[in-house]
Amino acid sequence: MAFTAAVEPLRAANQLVGREQYSWHLVTVDGGPVTASNDISVNPQGGLDATQPFSMAAVCAGLDPLPIEAEAEKRVAAWLRRLERSGTRLGGIGSGAFLLARTGLLDGYRCTIHWENLTGFSETFPEIDVTSRLFEVDRDRFTCSGGTASLDWALHMIGQDHGPEVSAAVADQFIHATPRRPDTPQRMSLRQRTGVSHPKLLSAIAEIEANLDEPLAQADLAERVGLSSRQLERLFQIYLGSTPSRYYLEARLKHARSLLAQTSLSVLEVAVASGFASASHFAKCYRELFGYSPRAERQSVGQGVQKRRVVW
């Protein structure tokens, strides 16, 4: 979705204005076809030896943000730096921002990334200014959170190049009635995501999500939202069929699962970042919820990286 939604608006813009305003050149590491996450094969037009001038270059990575093979990443990084020296604007779509960050090409820039990767990115690159916006354009860098946000980013670019009328006509072609601003939140509201409408319970869930690394005691959580512990217990049971402590624990473990998949933090570091005092307690809770250990999770991620080919 992220890849297609970035390219299709350019095709539509060309069609609407009646001449080629945009052209694109697909490049892979070795110049061979690659398989997208939906198993559709994408045929590129070349490899990293492409030398023609590009005004922009977008790195579109796969579902897994962990590093690709070291030699391939070195070649991609060298190619991107050559483009930068020639004046090409560089960007990342979805988890493509991870590669730009690892090569130092986002140092000193503001960027964004898919909400699912946001925590892992922040843990891995604490010095980079990352936001949760749909897309960011900061001088000669652009990043897009992926998914349908690629469409909004492309419409924004078309609007800057050819005016709001052309951008609106392209949006109309895709039945995208209301193009979103870059500062539009990526995620649904907490109310939509949870199906909960009780304001006190929503406040409690928001506090939980904001305090995963240093969990609040139940009494403190209740006090923050203006309830007694007993009232808080009752709300969680009625609306979520769970207890506050169980809901909190599962939220922390899901957070840990994302860190294991998206970062190279050690299991102990993931445990601490998820509010656990010891790796052993963390592993016990993790196994009880997911049926396998954190180390098994990390190993399965590594095997996935070897099997998956990344789309650039």
Side-chain angles (χ1 to χ4, degrees), residues 61-68 95 98 117 261-262 300-302 304-305 308 310:
L63 299 177
D64 202 325
L66 289 177
I68 58 176
S95 59
F98 269 92
N117 303 128
Q262 299 170 19
S300 70
V301 170
V305 169
R308 186 179 298 121
V310 181

